[in-house]
Amino acid sequence: CVKDSLFKSVLAAAEQWNYYRMGVYNDIDAYIAPSAFVRDKVGSSGFTSRPIYHFKNLLSMDTVYGKTAEREDYILYFGRLSREKGLPTLLRAVSLMEQKKRLYVAGTGDLRPMLEQFVAENHLEDRVRFLGFLSGEELESTIRRARCVVLASEWYENGPYAIAEASACGTPCIVSNLGGLPEAVEDGVNGYVCQAGNAGDLAQKMDRIFTLSPEEYEAMCQAAVEKAKRDYNAQAYLDKLLALYTELLEQKRRNP
């Protein structure tokens, strides 16, 4: 699991086991996990006897929350073009959609040649567009104009910034039901949750978001913004973090 190398994976496993045997991970006073899923997964593994707290990832202080651009009828994926992101399933889902909408893929990665081959073989050239790497205002504008953002990962996600950033823009998200993703999207409220690896289910969810009434879609966009404000607020994160540090320092004073 380390860079597709058995040798590197064995070395990493040996290193981790040695640290575990030495009790190194218990030298840390507390851990912070960006999702409840990771908190519970690490906690159940016996990785450490120290407490693990759940703090969702924060967005920057200058984040502009809310819809600020006119929507266009395209679906957006942005991130690494790698196999764990479920991109082949996403392309199959696009080919199954009744609405025949466009998919924009922003990002780079080793999987791009295979994805482009799938697009060509399935005659999707007029519906799938590869944008390459985007950042800054160009990426934000692309997110704000999208009808929805899709992250159909087929391996555990933690607390991906892609969903936080899209939600802050008021863009509904469609995510798979793995890892921390369902914590970020309440099905039918600020987006939809689909079954990982199921192209038919994903296609239905993408079709559904295009058949919402204007009022229903606007309510979903507003719900995304409100959840982003609650979950990813930088000042609230800082307050919680400083309170935790204060508590840990006080424990150290009482029990040096």
Side-chain angles (χ1 to χ4, degrees):
C1 63
V2 177
K3 299 187 181 298
D4 290 324
S5 167
L6 177 61
F7 178 70
K8 292 179 180 178
S9 299
V10 170
L11 282 179
E15 179 184 44
Q16 296 302 311
W17 173 250
N18 189 49
Y19 286 156
Y20 177 77
R21 181 185 60 81
M22 295 168 60
V24 170
Y25 298 121
N26 290 329
D27 291 339
I28 306 298
D29 292 310
Y31 290 85
I32 295 174
S35 70
F37 167 79
V38 167
R39 177 197 63 197
D40 296 342
K41 179 66 73 174
V42 173
S44 66
S45 72
F47 166 82
T48 180
S49 61
R50 297 297 190 178
I52 305 170
Y53 296 89
H54 172 210
F55 289 10
K56 293 185 179 180
N57 282 328
L58 71 159
L59 292 172
S60 65
M61 289 281 192
D62 60 356
T63 297
V64 177
Y65 292 91
K67 175 184 173 184
T68 59
E70 291 300 318
R71 298 291 180 185
E72 298 180 23
D73 276 353
Y74 65 82
I75 302 155
L76 175 65
Y77 167 84
F78 66 101
R80 297 191 312 276
L81 307 189
S82 53
R83 58 187 179 181
E84 75 274 8
K85 297 297 184 179
L87 292 167
T89 299
L90 175 56
L91 290 183
R92 288 196 298 272
V94 169
S95 71
L96 295 173
M97 287 181 68
E98 295 180 358
Q99 297 294 314
K100 306 303 179 186
K101 300 298 183 179
R102 295 169 294 159
L103 169 68
Y104 288 177
V105 179
T108 59
D110 295 340
L111 211 62
R112 179 162 176 170
M114 187 267 279
L115 299 175
E116 291 177 328
Q117 180 180 352
F118 180 94
V119 168
E121 291 175 351
N122 290 271
H123 310 292
L124 294 172
E125 293 93 342
D126 60 335
R127 294 182 53 207
V128 178
R129 180 181 173 191
F130 293 92
L131 304 179
F133 177 76
L134 300 181
S135 63
E137 292 183 3
E138 186 178 16
L139 176 59
E140 182 176 337
S141 175
T142 306
I143 296 170
R144 289 187 180 279
R145 289 184 285 110
R147 179 75 175 188
C148 66
V149 164
V150 174
L151 184 53
S153 297
E154 294 173 10
W155 186 242
Y156 295 144
E157 289 280 358
N158 192 351
Y161 274 103
I163 303 304
E165 292 168 345
S167 298
C169 293
T171 303
C173 298
I174 301 175
V175 300
S176 62
N177 59 348
L178 288 181
L181 287 174
E183 300 173 33
V185 175
E186 186 177 353
D187 193 47
V189 177
N190 62 321
Y192 294 108
V193 179
C194 68
Q195 183 179 6
N198 188 329
D201 187 35
L202 177 55
Q204 289 179 2
K205 298 298 170 57
M206 292 192 296
D207 274 326
R208 189 178 302 170
I209 211 162
F210 283 99
T211 56
L212 295 172
S213 70
E215 295 77 17
E216 289 171 330
Y217 181 72
E218 188 61 33
M220 186 170 281
C221 293
Q222 189 58 39
V225 172
E226 295 306 319
K227 185 169 176 59
K229 289 179 179 178
R230 293 193 305 269
D231 289 356
Y232 311 120
N233 180 275
Q235 187 60 55
Y237 186 99
L238 179 61
D239 292 343
K240 288 172 60 179
L241 186 64
L242 291 177
L244 176 59
Y245 285 169
T246 300
E247 178 185 343
L248 293 174
L249 288 170
E250 184 60 30
Q251 291 175 5
K252 285 289 186 182
R253 293 190 189 99
R254 292 197 302 265
N255 301 292

